[in-house]
């Protein structure tokens, strides 16, 4: 197999999943974390969004998981629901060939449903600290088989006041697990947590290098402070014309405050530009929907604050706009690092007011070069036409991550269920008697009252479907069809 992950001596299932996901070359953080994490060592990691950090811990956790085990071998703590969903997806896809179950436990969702799902097998649990603690205290989550804990985005966890819950969770564990902690910064309380809970951890830091920023065209526009719409050179008008001239395929637009995100989104929509927004005051469900919509390409421009966008991964952003200039020099580097990834080119455009000049100079000292000033020239109607035409185009949805997996899975509906005493073993028995079909080709089996669903993996769906037209299950030929 021509996959560089081969060198880590991973199981066949995990390697196959990585290949389907098109992960063939480890990223820098993966290069450093994987050998240590796979050997069971505690890890402290510093790296940015987009570095492949999630897979760096997800691969060892999936490798370590044992399908036969009924209670989780790993727990991943995340500060937000969006990050929980994103990490769950990565674990689910990497563990797909091992058929790992990865329940998410997050606040704001019905706890009863989560309790029901925990009664079934679960291999890796991902969630926010408050809800995880709630389950532990209710006795609905057993960590008897737990081997590893991941504390992701620890500094954000600290900022959001979740640290006490994280400690309480760690204190409830009977055996000390292996811990992997990831954080953008290591403040004093994080340092103390590392000293108290981690055993001889290896410290791994991956910084964004200047070399990587070479792929990013950076420009700034100097603007007036206030935003008076009537003025043709107001910040908003200038931004809109620059946006139209650039006509980005997809971009993130950063604002300094939630209010500004609201205002900018409202203005863009009013002017006929399809944009989405996320910030801390937006309902969680709406945020998740917006993030998904942006990933699917339902709209091209996502307006966000730094905090809420933290850790959320978006593929192939052609542009980043700093509508409001960042208030920290690292923030500038993190924001622009969202474009121009994997050797692709990207564009980062910043609007700088006189109040931002000091921070601009600090950024320049930090990155070691001057940010080129662009003299604003409004584009002609002809130049802006492609942008405005685009706003009227019908949306073509992008392929979802993991779609390659879906293409290899076929779900079958079989007549007969609990009422006729059908059990999962009956289905497995018959399907495994088909020539060329192994137990590992069978995915989830769901026996309902008078119907049963079964997933056939590895592109063998048609073969099983045909064979089951003439083979008996529990003594009878059943009606079997593809589930719609
Ligand atoms: P993360 O920093 O964990 O949010 O990951 C950033 C993006 O890189 C995600 O979309 C991952 O699916 C993707 N990714 C992670 N590892 C690899 C790899 N080795 N090769 C290609 N893409 C990867």
């Amino acid at each position: 197999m021509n996959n560089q992950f081969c060198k880590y001596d991973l199981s066949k299932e995990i390697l196959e999943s990585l290949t389907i996901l098109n992960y063939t070359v480890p990223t820098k953080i993966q290069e450093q974390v994987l050998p240590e994490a796979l050997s069971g060592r505690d890890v402290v990691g510093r790296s940015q969004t987009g570095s492949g950090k999630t897979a760096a811990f997800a691969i060892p956790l999936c490798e370590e998981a044992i399908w036969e085990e009924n209670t989780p071998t790993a727990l991943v703590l995340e500060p937000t629901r969006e990050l929980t969903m994103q990490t769950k997806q990565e674990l689910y896809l990497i563990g797909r060939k091992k058929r790992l179950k990865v329940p998410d436990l997050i606040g704001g969702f019905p706890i009863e449903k989560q309790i029901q799902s925990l009664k079934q097998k679960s291999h890796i649990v991902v969630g926010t600290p408050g809800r995880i603690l709630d389950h532990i205290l209710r006795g609905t989550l057993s960590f008897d088989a737990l081997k590893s804990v991941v504390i992701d985005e620890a500094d954000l966890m600290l900022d959001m006041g979740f640290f006490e819950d994280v400690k309480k969770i760690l204190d409830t564990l009977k055996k000390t697990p292996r811990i992997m902690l990831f954080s953008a910064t290591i403040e004093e309380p994080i340092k103390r947590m590392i000293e108290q809970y981690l055993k001889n951890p290896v410290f791994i830091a991956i910084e964004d290098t200047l070399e990587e920023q070479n792929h990013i065209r950076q420009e700034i526009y100097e603007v007036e402070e206030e935003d008076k719409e009537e003025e043709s050179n107001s910040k908003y008008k200038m931004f809109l014309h620059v946006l139209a001239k650039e006509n980005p395929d997809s971009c993130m637009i950063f604002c300094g405050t939630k209010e500004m995100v609201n205002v900018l989104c409202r203005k863009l929509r009013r002017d006929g530009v399809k944009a989405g927004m996320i910030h801390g005051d937006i309902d969680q469900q709406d945020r998740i929907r917006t993030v998904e919509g942006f990933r699917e390409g339902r709209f091209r421009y996502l307006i966000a604050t730094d905090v809420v966008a933290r850790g959320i991964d978006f593929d192939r952003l052609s542009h980043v706009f700093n509508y409001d200039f960042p208030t920290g020099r690292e923030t500038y580097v993190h924001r622009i690092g969202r474009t121009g990834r994997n050797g692709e080119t990207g564009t980062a455009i910043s609007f700088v007011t006189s109040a931002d000049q000091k921070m601009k100079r600090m950024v320049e000292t930090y990155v070691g070069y001057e940010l080129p000033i662009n003299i604003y020239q409004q584009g002609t109607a002809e130049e802006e036409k492609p942008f405005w035409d685009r706003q009227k185009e019908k949306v073509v949805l992008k392929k979802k991550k993991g779609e390659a997996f879906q293409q290899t899975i076929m779900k079958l509906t079989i007549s007969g269920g609990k009422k006729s005493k059908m059990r999962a073993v009956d289905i497995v028995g018959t399907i495994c008697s088909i020539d060329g079909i192994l137990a590992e080709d069978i995915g989830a089996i769901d026996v309902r009252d008078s119907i049963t669903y079964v997933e056939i993996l590895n592109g063998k769906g048609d073969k099983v479907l045909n064979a089951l037209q003439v083979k008996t299950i529990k003594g009878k030929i059943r009606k079997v069809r593809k589930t719609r």
Side-chain angles (χ1 to χ4, degrees):
M1 195 188 289
N2 196 15
N3 186 326
Q4 288 186 27
F5 281 94
C6 282
K7 65 182 170 194
Y8 299 117
D9 202 17
L10 300 170
S11 61
K12 181 173 133 272
E13 291 88 354
I14 302 292
L15 259 181
E16 278 176 8
S17 296
L18 295 177
T19 306
I20 296 177
L21 287 169
N22 214 6
Y23 294 5
T24 51
V25 182
T27 64
K28 274 196 228 161
I29 183 109
Q30 291 162 4
E31 283 273 357
Q32 297 206 29
V33 169
L34 283 176
E36 304 288 353
L38 287 165
S39 75
R41 193 152 171 204
D42 287 29
V43 173
V44 175
R46 271 186 58 194
S47 76
Q48 307 310 334
T49 299
S51 59
K53 172 195 63 172
T54 318
F57 65 74
I59 294 170
L61 297 188
C62 291
E63 190 65 52
E64 191 175 64
I66 301 163
W67 192 85
E68 288 75 17
E69 195 70 68
N70 286 326
T71 60
T73 49
L75 165 68
V76 181
L77 297 171
E78 292 287 348
T80 65
R81 296 173 212 198
E82 290 93 333
L83 283 172
T84 301
M85 307 305 271
Q86 186 174 301
T87 302
K88 172 198 166 112
Q89 176 77 351
E90 188 90 350
L91 285 159
Y92 170 76
L93 292 173
I94 293 173
R96 188 70 182 92
K97 288 269 168 175
K98 266 180 100 167
R99 292 181 290 147
L100 298 183
K101 295 226 164 144
V102 187
D104 54 90
L105 304 177
I106 40 190
F109 286 78
I111 196 155
E112 284 307 323
K113 267 195 182 166
Q114 296 175 352
I115 292 172
Q116 285 309 318
S117 93
L118 288 173
K119 283 186 180 154
Q120 298 170 22
K121 229 182 221 315
S122 55
H123 298 102
I124 302 173
V125 166
V126 193
T128 43
R131 185 50 70 91
I132 300 275
L133 190 60
D134 199 353
H135 279 285
I136 295 175
L137 299 178
R138 285 168 185 249
T140 46
L141 183 55
S142 157
F143 282 138
D144 288 349
L146 195 75
K147 291 184 190 157
S148 294
V149 172
V150 172
I151 304 167
D152 197 17
E153 306 280 352
D155 54 330
L156 199 53
M157 210 91 96
L158 180 68
D159 286 351
M160 295 174 82
F162 294 163
F163 240 47
E164 283 315 305
D165 282 349
V166 174
K167 284 188 196 158
K168 280 187 200 157
I169 292 169
L170 296 176
D171 289 337
T172 63
L173 303 175
K174 290 185 200 100
K175 279 182 265 162
T176 326
R178 171 267 291 279
I179 300 179
M180 293 188 259
L181 180 146
F182 293 88
S183 194
T185 52
I186 311 275
E187 290 113 320
E188 202 45 48
I190 299 178
K191 221 184 256 174
R192 282 201 299 275
M193 174 173 279
I194 294 169
E195 278 161 14
Q196 192 179 346
Y197 293 98
L198 276 70
K199 301 175 293 292
N200 184 28
V202 51
F203 286 79
I204 293 169
I206 306 288
E207 305 291 349
D208 283 335
T209 60
L210 293 179
E211 187 195 317
E212 272 151 18
Q213 289 164 22
N214 281 343
H215 300 291
I216 306 170
R217 170 169 68 97
Q218 297 174 64
E219 280 175 9
I220 62 168
Y221 288 94
E222 294 188 321
V223 286
E224 292 296 323
E225 198 86 51
E226 78 274 37
D227 192 7
K228 291 197 196 117
E229 283 230 17
E230 316 77 60
E231 291 175 17
S232 61
N233 64 347
S234 76
K235 183 174 175 182
Y236 170 71
K237 284 271 158 65
M238 193 180 201
F239 163 74
L240 186 57
H241 284 298
V242 175
L243 182 72
K245 209 165 168 182
E246 292 286 333
N247 191 12
D249 282 338
S250 71
C251 74
M252 282 185 79
I253 304 161
F254 286 97
C255 293
T257 62
K258 300 168 196 169
E259 293 70 35
M260 198 59 235
V261 171
N262 283 331
V263 170
L264 184 59
C265 193
R266 209 172 43 235
K267 285 183 183 174
L268 284 174
R269 286 179 181 166
R270 177 203 62 193
D271 291 341
V273 178
K274 273 188 230 151
M277 62 171 175
I278 47 170
H279 61 63
D281 285 349
I282 294 176
D283 167 54
Q284 293 274 1
Q285 300 276 19
D286 281 346
R287 260 154 60 179
I288 290 173
R289 223 172 289 134
T290 303
V291 165
E292 271 314 300
F294 186 54
R295 284 194 178 127
E296 287 176 357
R298 290 183 189 277
F299 53 93
R300 294 176 187 274
Y301 322 106
L302 179 67
I303 313 166
T305 53
D306 291 299
V307 174
V308 85
R310 186 59 187 275
I312 304 179
D313 170 57
F314 298 110
D315 224 13
R316 294 167 176 251
L317 295 181
S318 64
H319 288 64
V320 166
F321 282 88
N322 291 319
Y323 186 82
D324 290 327
F325 201 69
T327 50
R329 47 192 200 161
E330 286 99 344
T331 312
Y332 177 85
V333 177
H334 297 169
R335 283 186 185 178
I336 70 161
R338 286 180 168 273
T339 180
R341 286 215 220 137
N342 304 322
E344 287 178 20
T345 52
T347 301
I349 296 179
S350 306
F351 294 87
V352 176
T353 65
S354 48
D356 297 322
Q357 288 293 344
K358 196 167 158 214
M359 182 48 69
K360 181 196 134 215
R361 285 192 295 277
M362 284 171 74
V363 167
E364 287 175 334
T365 312
Y366 184 62
V367 296
Y369 50 77
E370 280 186 15
L371 302 177
I373 299 175
N374 209 343
I375 305 299
Y376 172 66
Q377 263 188 323
Q378 190 180 320
T380 60
E382 199 179 332
E383 277 173 321
E384 294 187 2
K385 189 171 181 296
F387 172 82
W388 292 109
D389 286 347
R390 212 173 210 186
Q391 305 312 313
K392 293 177 219 128
E393 271 173 15
K394 213 170 150 235
V395 170
V396 180
L397 295 187
K398 290 184 199 166
K399 270 196 177 170
K400 275 192 184 166
K401 191 166 151 188
E403 213 161 274
F405 271 115
Q406 291 310 333
Q407 284 162 5
T408 68
I409 300 171
M410 185 187 287
K411 196 169 174 184
L412 301 179
T413 307
I414 302 175
S415 65
K418 283 182 192 153
K419 280 188 187 156
S420 53
K421 303 219 165 16
M422 181 88 90
R423 294 162 309 160
V425 283
D426 301 319
I427 311 269
V428 174
T430 300
I431 295 179
C432 284
S433 73
I434 302 168
D435 220 16
I437 306 292
L438 306 169
E440 66 192 45
D441 298 323
I442 306 172
I445 300 178
D446 182 6
V447 185
R448 304 277 177 92
D449 283 347
S450 46
I451 216 167
T452 299
Y453 298 106
V454 55
E455 278 180 353
I456 308 298
L457 315 178
N458 306 325
K460 296 186 181 173
D462 280 319
K463 187 168 191 176
V464 174
L465 178 63
N466 287 337
L468 291 184
Q469 304 304 315
V470 291
K471 260 192 183 290
T472 58
I473 304 175
K474 213 172 158 57
K476 264 168 98 177
I477 293 195
R478 310 277 168 171
K479 269 192 205 138
V480 183
R481 59 175 172 80
K482 234 196 247 189
T483 311
R484 250 175 285 151

